[in-house]
Amino acid sequence: MDTKGTALHLLERLYDGVLSEDQWRQSLRDISLSLGAASAGQVALHTPTDSLELDELIGMPPKMVAHFDEMQDLDPGRAASPLLAAGRIYVDYEFHGQARLQREPFYQEFLKPNGLGTYALLPLGQDEERMYTFSVQRENGRPPLDDDETRLMHAVLPHLRTALHLQLRFRQQQAESLLLRHMLDRLGFPLLVCSARGRIVQSNHLGDIWRQQPDCPLGARASSLPQPIRRLLDRACGHGAEAPSAGSLALPDGGRLIVLPCPLTQDLRGGDALALLAAQGPQWRPTPRGTLLRTLFRLTPAEIRLAHHLARHDDPLPTVAETLNVSLNTLRTQLRSIFDKTQTRRQADLVRLMGHLGLLTPGD
């Protein structure tokens, strides 16, 4: 076997699979075949329940999976958790010895009846709840891993670990993006997230509809970004200013375009600064009290209550603390959190921001 050439081919397929579930599954299949496996799959030990979870299964029909669920508590590989946690590969016959494995019920009652013999676990890392491994099971009667297969296994391991980490992170970001889109869709007006040059990064459903209208200044039909909006975007993204700031302008249809610093920007590392654009006017339905501050800025109910109180009353903080029945220290902590999340620096900035958002209308 050309171990180096095989490893390079496998790694190329592996990293291609980070963004594609089909290619990821195929890369795992290629690795398992190169290691002489009859079946394989990702295995996660869920530490709170001490149970094994199978994923990305290769050569394991549903009947075999159901059989494994019944037998998993007898798997002697559980004893190798410290070895795997240290990042070392577990090969069952090296860890326990061939003689002992022949007597194990897991081998006699699960592996052999399913045509399997020995197996190896490649440690892929762990998080707060799970320890991830890649399990390769060889056909019953097949000789142990030879030198080329062992070298290949060790060559692939660090890249398999990195690729899995990237894929899990990508899946998490996809889920977070879908959740964010769902939250934005609950708002009763168009909302866009865009760069200082007007590149749309995210929008809600009403934002998609608004951008198709002929008079939308950020629509697909607009030939260029109007200069007043460009200036507001620069301010919201903090270009040429000490700190990002909000602004607004009138729209031709009688509504207003609100441009705000995007609170999500603080979660980006090295990414472009972003701005939130909200179109407001009589044609859009009002948003329930608190929903806007919770959705846009992730304020807690207590922070929302404080923000509304500060926007309507010019009381000193001790008086506010007494009115809201919280300690002064708690109030100051909440206020710092509000300023941080809304990217404002003082109460006047917060009131101005809430005014831009239409949150100071009577009865709100």
Side-chain angles (χ1 to χ4, degrees):
M1 177 192 297
D2 178 7
T3 305
K4 184 176 180 180
T6 302
L8 289 175
H9 171 74
L10 293 176
L11 298 184
E12 181 180 352
R13 297 290 295 270
L14 186 64
Y15 286 113
D16 285 342
V18 170
L19 303 181
S20 168
E21 291 189 14
D22 289 340
Q23 292 187 45
W24 176 256
R25 191 172 296 110
Q26 184 59 50
S27 70
L28 295 183
R29 184 181 301 276
D30 290 345
I31 292 173
S32 65
L33 291 175
S34 298
L35 295 177
S39 63
Q42 289 177 200
V43 181
L45 173 62
H46 186 242
T47 50
T49 60
D50 194 35
S51 60
L52 297 176
E53 304 168 348
L54 304 182
D55 192 17
E56 303 293 359
L57 302 179
I58 300 164
M60 294 185 68
K63 185 177 180 180
M64 185 188 300
V65 176
H67 192 190
F68 173 79
D69 288 339
E70 296 173 358
M71 300 292 297
Q72 62 167 279
D73 290 340
L74 301 178
D75 185 355
R78 287 175 173 271
S81 292
L83 182 77
L84 296 168
R88 296 174 59 191
I89 294 174
Y90 163 81
V91 180
D92 58 358
Y93 55 83
E94 292 179 352
F95 191 86
H96 300 288
Q98 285 282 18
R100 176 186 167 184
L101 295 184
Q102 298 303 317
R103 300 190 299 268
E104 289 286 344
F106 183 75
Y107 286 75
Q108 297 298 325
E109 299 175 27
F110 171 68
L111 288 181
K112 285 188 177 180
N114 286 290
L116 303 176
T118 60
Y119 73 94
L121 293 174
L122 284 67
L124 303 182
Q126 56 191 27
D127 55 25
E128 294 82 1
E129 292 191 346
R130 289 172 174 82
M131 178 186 295
Y132 299 94
T133 60
F134 182 59
S135 175
V136 290
Q137 302 93 39
R138 292 165 72 85
E139 187 176 4
N140 188 28
R142 185 163 186 151
L145 292 162
D146 61 30
D147 291 342
D148 286 336
E149 291 169 332
T150 299
R151 281 193 294 267
L152 180 63
M153 187 166 58
H154 284 276
V156 167
L157 175 59
H159 300 278
L160 183 58
R161 183 185 295 122
T162 299
L164 177 65
H165 174 77
L166 292 173
Q167 194 211 43
L168 291 175
R169 181 60 180 157
F170 176 67
R171 288 183 179 181
Q172 179 185 356
Q173 290 179 336
Q174 281 186 312
E176 291 172 353
S177 178
L178 291 173
L179 177 61
L180 174 62
R181 176 61 189 252
H182 175 71
M183 294 172 64
L184 297 182
D185 283 344
R186 295 173 59 190
L187 299 177
F189 56 85
L191 184 74
L192 310 175
V193 181
C194 70
S195 70
R197 301 301 94 185
R199 178 177 61 88
I200 307 300
V201 175
Q202 180 67 278
S203 65
N204 64 357
H205 177 65
L206 291 179
D208 293 337
I209 295 175
W210 181 53
R211 293 186 64 222
Q212 298 305 315
Q213 298 179 5
D215 57 350
C216 176
L218 290 106
R221 306 179 189 181
S223 58
S224 62
L225 189 66
Q227 196 62 31
I229 297 180
R230 185 183 293 274
R231 286 195 293 268
L232 288 175
L233 286 173
D234 279 334
R235 287 173 51 190
C237 292
H239 295 172
E242 182 180 349
S245 60
S248 67
L249 57 80
L251 294 172
D253 60 5
R256 293 195 68 78
L257 180 66
I258 316 300
V259 184
L260 312 167
C262 181
L264 302 178
T265 302
Q266 60 187 315
D267 294 334
L268 301 176
R269 299 292 182 264
D272 294 334
L274 301 174
L276 294 175
L277 289 84
Q280 297 194 328
Q283 69 270 45
W284 310 112
R285 67 181 186 272
T287 300
R289 175 185 175 94
T291 299
L292 200 57
L293 293 177
R294 181 171 60 252
T295 302
L296 297 186
F297 304 108
R298 294 173 291 181
L299 264 61
T300 66
E303 291 167 351
I304 292 171
R305 182 178 65 156
L306 175 57
H308 277 280
H309 185 93
L310 294 176
R312 296 182 180 280
H313 303 88
D314 192 23
D315 298 333
L317 289 185
T319 303
V320 176
E322 184 177 352
T323 301
L324 298 181
N325 195 29
V326 297
S327 70
L328 185 58
N329 285 339
T330 297
L331 189 77
R332 286 172 173 159
T333 299
Q334 292 175 355
L335 187 56
R336 283 195 299 269
S337 178
I338 292 172
F339 287 159
D340 180 58
K341 291 178 180 179
T342 60
Q343 294 193 17
T344 54
R345 292 185 294 172
R346 51 186 180 270
Q347 187 172 332
D349 296 335
L350 178 63
V351 173
R352 190 178 303 111
L353 172 64
M354 295 179 68
H356 282 312
L357 292 172
L359 296 178
L360 303 183
T361 55
D364 183 38

